[in-house]
Amino acid sequence: MTETPAIELTGATKRFRTPSGALHTAVRDLDLTVAQGEFVAVVGPTGCGKSTTLTLVSGLEEPTEGEVRVYGEPVRGIDPKVGFVFQQDAVFPWRTVLSNVMAGPRFRGVPAAEARERARDWLGRVGLAAFEDRYPHQLSGGMRKRVALAQTFVNDPAILLMDEPFSALDVQTRALMSDQLLELWAGTGSSVVFVTHDLDEAIALADRVVVMTAGPATVKEVFTVDLPRPRTVEAVRLEPRFVELYREIWASLGEEVRITRERGAGRAA
Ligand SMILES: Nc1ncnc2c1ncn2[C@@H]1O[C@H](COP(=O)(O)OP(=O)(O)OP(=O)(O)O)[C@@H](O)[C@H]1O
């Protein structure tokens, strides 16, 4: 018997009504399956429809056509099995780090003592045990991102949707965060969909890299990343296979980036 996929988009199309009243197609006829426990990275030219794809899986938006399923069930609204990490931090500025990490389990009805214990456990895993009484503004960008990871993993999500979560960080912190994410994810069995502009990051993290077309987004090509795990970003980047994969995927992605750029230049002319 084959296992139910964690995520299944079938012929998913999303159109938005623009302020001028016209219809804009952000995603068209998109087919994508993510297995349970799989890490999938999504790359594509700017504005092509990557975030819209995530919002369809999250239940924040409904597809205009086609189907989106999570664990075999059609998505109807926001599912508690799904966790998110975005580029912006989703922390309460007036709450301490511990209170921020406890918030999710508390909203889900976990008793305070247990929520505190789970939050402390995850804060320990992200290396912030000594900072539980700090407020978010007293932390660095990288530390706030670690709070965001603890905040997400503490809810034990079956599916994790990440939309350029590390793009606001400097390059070194980004690499450390990627390593940390892989470490945290390794023990959970959750499925991840990770949207990024950074092909290095996509290959270093993922089991498969999905290349999207210039907008409206559909799947152009899917590449399997056959690099062994556990991986660390700095080490994996030096492997000949990594460089080979980078070249192959860039050949596909680069075309779409060029199409998007030329359209932009056409519009500016
Ligand atoms: N709520 C909305 N209403 C109208 N148009 C929208 C809406 N959300 C997204 N769009 C449009 O759909 C297209 C795809 O946007 P989306 O944010 O999914 O792209 P993206 O690939 O994530 O972009 P980026 O790489 O720049 O983050 C864009 O042209 C955007 O302007």
Side-chain angles (χ1 to χ4, degrees):
M1 201 184 77
T2 50
E3 206 176 44
T4 311
I7 302 169
E8 242 180 321
L9 294 120
T10 320
T13 294
K14 180 66 187 175
R15 292 190 202 95
F16 291 110
R17 180 117 1 232
T18 62
S20 65
L23 276 177
H24 174 82
T25 308
V27 172
R28 71 175 152 99
D29 204 18
L30 191 141
D31 293 327
L32 179 66
T33 303
V34 179
Q36 294 183 26
E38 191 182 23
F39 198 126
V40 169
V42 176
V43 293
T46 183
C48 76
K50 302 181 292 297
S51 301
T52 304
T53 306
L54 286 192
T55 59
L56 294 179
V57 178
S58 70
L60 288 166
E61 297 276 4
E62 280 180 30
T64 318
E65 281 163 34
E67 255 197 286
V68 185
R69 290 174 178 268
V70 163
Y71 279 81
E73 295 294 321
V75 171
R76 307 237 182 281
I78 294 166
D79 190 316
K81 284 198 286 298
V82 180
F84 311 88
V85 185
F86 299 112
Q87 189 177 342
Q88 292 86 10
D89 302 315
V91 290
F92 299 117
W94 62 87
R95 288 187 173 205
T96 63
V97 164
L98 179 64
S99 162
N100 264 292
V101 179
M102 283 174 64
R106 289 294 286 139
F107 285 137
R108 287 158 202 249
V110 175
E114 192 190 329
R116 189 173 301 111
E117 197 180 316
R118 272 162 59 176
R120 285 202 166 120
D121 173 38
W122 280 101
L123 281 171
R125 294 197 219 185
V126 298
L128 290 179
F131 296 87
E132 65 171 53
D133 294 328
R134 297 269 188 111
Y135 288 88
H137 75 270
Q138 298 169 318
L139 304 176
S140 69
M143 288 159 98
R144 276 203 300 276
K145 214 33 101 178
R146 276 144 68 191
V147 174
L149 289 182
Q151 231 176 357
T152 307
F153 279 105
V154 75
N155 294 316
D156 203 11
I159 291 175
L160 196 49
L161 304 177
M162 308 187 83
D163 196 352
E164 299 182 47
F166 306 145
S167 59
L169 303 173
D170 64 81
V171 177
Q172 287 88 8
T173 311
R174 246 178 122 139
L176 292 174
M177 287 308 306
S178 296
D179 288 343
Q180 180 126 61
L181 170 62
L182 285 180
E183 255 179 66
L184 297 176
W185 166 72
T188 61
S190 44
S191 309
V192 184
V193 183
F194 189 103
V195 166
T196 177
H197 278 113
D198 183 341
L199 186 50
D200 269 316
E201 187 174 60
I203 301 171
L205 290 171
D207 297 314
R208 287 190 299 150
V209 175
V210 176
V211 175
M212 300 281 223
T213 59
T218 195
V219 173
K220 181 184 185 189
E221 241 180 303
V222 180
F223 295 85
T224 298
V225 180
D226 50 0
L227 293 163
R229 294 190 190 274
R231 299 179 197 159
T232 59
V233 171
E234 296 308 339
V236 86
R237 271 183 189 152
L238 303 175
E239 301 216 2
R241 181 67 188 135
F242 183 97
V243 179
E244 231 170 71
L245 280 165
Y246 189 98
R247 276 207 200 99
E248 277 174 39
I249 304 175
W250 178 250
S252 182
L253 171 62
E255 251 172 39
E256 303 306 312
V257 171
R258 268 191 299 280
I259 294 170
T260 306
R261 257 196 223 137
E262 279 158 20
R263 278 187 199 159
R267 240 174 257 142

